[in-house]
Amino acid sequence: MTKMFPLTTQMYLWSLLVILSISLVNSQNRKITSLLNPGCIHCSEYDTLLYIRADGSHDSVHQVWDFTRHTPTVLFLISSLNLTMDVVWDDNKPSFKLSEEPKYSFAIAIDKIYEYNDTDDNGHFENRFPRRQYPLKDLHWIRGDLVQSDNEVKLLMQTYYKNDFHNGTIEIKLDLLPFQDYAVDLPHLIHTSNSTLIDVNLVNLTCSEDYEASRFALHFLLVSTDKKNDTMNYTMRKSLDDEHTPGVFEIVEIVTPASRRGEGGGFLQFRPVAYTEPQRGVAVSTNAHVSNFNRTDLPYESTLKTFYQRFDRDDVLIQDMVVSFGDAADGYYKQHNYTSWSFTVGYGSPPKESFSFFVIMIISIGLGIPVFLAMSGIIYLIVRRYKQRNPPTRFLDDE
């Protein structure tokens, strides 16, 4: 029986090596390069456009993080390795010149914030609630921390409300890491070389005096090069694993028609949870809610309009949605004056979560030891019965 222990250990080691190999294959590493305001002569600290190119073995994923027209915009462009994209500037307003037709494109923009009076106290955004909208194009974004390296591209942008009626800060952080892993901060979303992590923080926003139940919501524009009569797809997927986000067993995925068909496409992915304190934790979490999709048009003076006017109108799908935050009896926004929410936006199919090596080891040990002990006991009983039925022959001295 002592020979079984090295065999069991060897099997565990082989299992871990297989898991590690699969993880490395699925990481889809890409070579990334980034440029800040490429070719812009008149850009200042209030003008920020970050162009990122991520080259793989067969294609390139181009991203544009644009704040030049004051509407936070993330643009994805999937192309062959030969495509080049030049940014052409009219003073400090960009347009784009492509060397060939792209394979696919997908984009999002947060163009406004809603303040609404949540008289039902459930966090959902309803058209019947009184509300006010605050277009982000009226604000100026200031560039904060910027990281540009072969291993990461990260950008922090901030804007401030400073007028007689409203004060407060909006922060948006974008982070591209060209490998697959879980994000450091809660809710520990999965990032890949094809996606970008985005955090949105609403800090100390002034609530309207005539609203007793003020909450804030984000208005999204979703654009893709799919047929205009098609629609984005929303799913709330159940997960048995809350290892990375304790207590949250759902994952929200919004995919374009092409992604739904398995033909590339684009996606948003997030856990339906937000946080009411800078130090994120289960005790300071609240719910995130998604509205229905509506058909809409591109804003006239926007990066989205500038880029997608090159395509046939029948081949551009444009929809919007609202993401709101809150839960019953949480004191509304004014209870903490802070809301933080994270999501990923990317190309292809949304990544699937998996157990960590630590959990796999615990499960393996937890299942392996009982099985090993049971098998050992069975073998012992079999050997014992065999010896009882076949006693050793005794040779007697007849003399």
Side-chain angles (χ1 to χ4, degrees), residues 156 171-175 185-187 189 197-201 280 340-343:
L156 175 65
E171 300 174 344
I172 296 181
K173 183 177 73 173
L174 305 99
D175 198 0
D185 298 325
L186 282 172
L189 300 173
L197 283 162
I198 301 179
D199 296 332
V200 181
N201 300 328
R280 298 182 174 189
S340 181
W341 176 64
S342 299
F343 66 99

Side-chain angles (χ1 to χ4, degrees), residues 69-87:
R69 291 182 172 89
H70 311 301
T71 297
T73 302
V74 177
L75 172 68
F76 279 78
L77 185 70
I78 292 79
S79 74
S80 71
L81 294 170
N82 297 323
L83 182 142
T84 59
M85 182 167 70
D86 296 323
V87 184

